[in-house]
Amino acid sequence: MSASNSPQKRGNRIWVVLLVVSLVVILLAVGFFLWLFLDGSRQPDYSVYHSSQQTMEATTEPATAGTQSTQATTTEALVENPIDFESLQAQNADIYAWIYIPNTGIDLPIVQARAGDDDNFYLHKDINRQYDFKGMIYTQRANAKDFSDPVTVIYGHNMLDGSMFSNLHMFRDPDFFDENAYFYIYTPGHILTYEIVSAYQYDTRHILNSFDFSKQEVFQEYLDYLLNPKSMIADVRDGISLTTDDRIVTLSTCIERGAARYLVQGVLISDERTY
């Protein structure tokens, strides 16, 4: 047997091939994750859909904020809606609302998949209904589009670059939670103001499939939990009481690589009519 064909030589060649293949796999994996990160950083400039020169920061805090009662007040006098829904819906008719959370960078349209699409269609689709890993902010068809349900759940990815719903995690800082009490949802004809009552880590159960909110006792149990969450990561606003007459929006994103969810819970306290 020649030295060039010895078992030791063949073994060395096999190890070299395995090493090369391993390096290629590692480089492809690194490239893939870099692509995900860079792709996520190219968030569309949605500011073009702000129909008013007035900034979102100019939204006034409602007079009811910080009181024991959280029942929503309705303002009949029409105010300007800062979102150009006509242009948005001309681009994609699935857009039906907009969410703005001050001091987080979250200032994005909300979509809901149309009939015939998978309920989670926008998990990895963009405003043009094309593949995009970061997806869009969306609700499922179990929720009405007028936010009249006892609990509306809004989903968004926790992206590495800070886009989409990743900055919900800013509410894990107790000081930030204390100093940022409101978020706003805009729909054609309405500005809805929500007071953030709690933010906490939760399990991965599907909330709308796990609770029958049409039963008042089930809804009240949910309300009691969100004011007293059994979680090591939790912030709760003082002086809040909730009843089954309240309307809750639950903002949901990933935590710990999908092993849990992080929820920011807001209660409707104001409904302003817009032109």
Side-chain angles (χ1 to χ4, degrees):
M1 179 181 294
S2 66
S4 61
N5 291 322
S6 68
Q8 182 177 358
K9 290 286 187 179
R10 288 198 300 271
N12 289 341
R13 285 199 295 270
I14 291 172
W15 279 111
V16 169
V17 170
L18 289 175
L19 179 61
V20 171
V21 170
S22 298
L23 288 173
V24 169
V25 170
I26 291 171
L27 288 172
L28 287 174
V30 170
F32 176 71
F33 284 107
L34 283 174
W35 173 79
L36 290 182
F37 179 82
L38 293 174
D39 186 63
S41 68
R42 295 194 294 270
Q43 182 160 293
D45 181 12
Y46 288 120
S47 64
V48 298
Y49 298 108
H50 292 191
S51 61
S52 172
Q53 294 302 314
Q54 175 186 2
T55 65
M56 295 291 201
E57 295 289 353
T59 305
T60 57
E61 294 182 0
T64 57
T67 64
Q68 286 288 329
S69 174
T70 56
Q71 300 304 307
T73 60
T74 301
T75 303
E76 294 298 336
L78 298 183
V79 298
E80 182 180 3
N81 194 317
I83 303 302
D84 183 1
F85 281 104
E86 184 176 356
S87 296
L88 276 168
Q89 292 174 339
Q91 183 169 1
N92 187 336
D94 295 342
I95 298 169
Y96 74 97
W98 186 287
I99 184 167
Y100 168 61
I101 310 177
N103 302 317
T104 66
I106 297 173
D107 190 9
L108 298 164
I110 302 173
V111 292
Q112 187 175 108
R114 65 191 65 171
D117 286 339
D118 183 89
D119 218 9
N120 295 312
F121 179 83
Y122 285 101
L123 184 67
H124 296 302
K125 292 291 194 301
D126 65 12
I127 193 172
N128 297 312
R129 296 173 55 84
Q130 300 300 310
Y131 178 81
D132 187 335
F133 180 79
K134 66 179 176 293
M136 292 189 72
I137 306 303
Y138 72 96
T139 61
Q140 296 179 319
R141 287 190 294 270
N143 277 137
K145 294 181 181 180
D146 61 359
F147 297 91
S148 60
D149 292 319
V151 177
T152 298
V153 182
I154 305 178
Y155 300 96
H157 279 302
N158 178 16
M159 296 297 294
L160 292 174
D161 66 342
S163 62
M164 308 316 290
F165 263 3
S166 59
N167 283 347
L168 287 182
H169 289 283
M170 296 173 74
F171 288 99
R172 295 173 67 170
D173 179 346
D175 291 335
F176 186 87
F177 179 88
D178 290 341
E179 295 167 4
N180 295 271
Y182 309 103
F183 65 83
Y184 305 90
I185 290 178
Y186 302 83
T187 67
H190 296 266
I191 297 175
L192 305 175
T193 301
Y194 292 82
E195 185 168 11
I196 298 169
V197 297
S198 61
Y200 54 89
Q201 180 175 319
Y202 197 60
D203 57 44
T204 57
R205 81 184 79 175
H206 189 289
I207 291 173
L208 296 177
N209 290 344
S210 300
F211 300 94
D212 183 357
F213 292 121
S214 67
K215 298 178 179 179
Q216 290 205 343
E217 65 274 16
V218 174
F219 185 27
Q220 188 61 58
E221 287 177 4
Y222 184 82
L223 295 175
D224 293 341
Y225 184 91
L226 69 86
L227 290 178
N228 187 29
K230 307 301 187 292
S231 172
M232 295 295 292
I233 302 174
D235 292 286
V236 179
R237 201 164 305 285
D238 294 332
I240 298 292
S241 60
L242 299 172
T243 74
T244 54
D245 291 326
D246 286 310
R247 292 295 172 262
I248 303 297
V249 161
T250 298
L251 310 179
S252 176
T253 195
C254 290
I255 189 174
E256 296 181 354
R257 298 179 182 178
R261 306 293 295 178
Y262 186 67
L263 307 181
V264 176
Q265 304 270 12
V267 59
L268 179 66
I269 59 173
S270 176
D271 180 356
E272 294 180 278
R273 305 296 174 86
T274 69
Y275 57 86

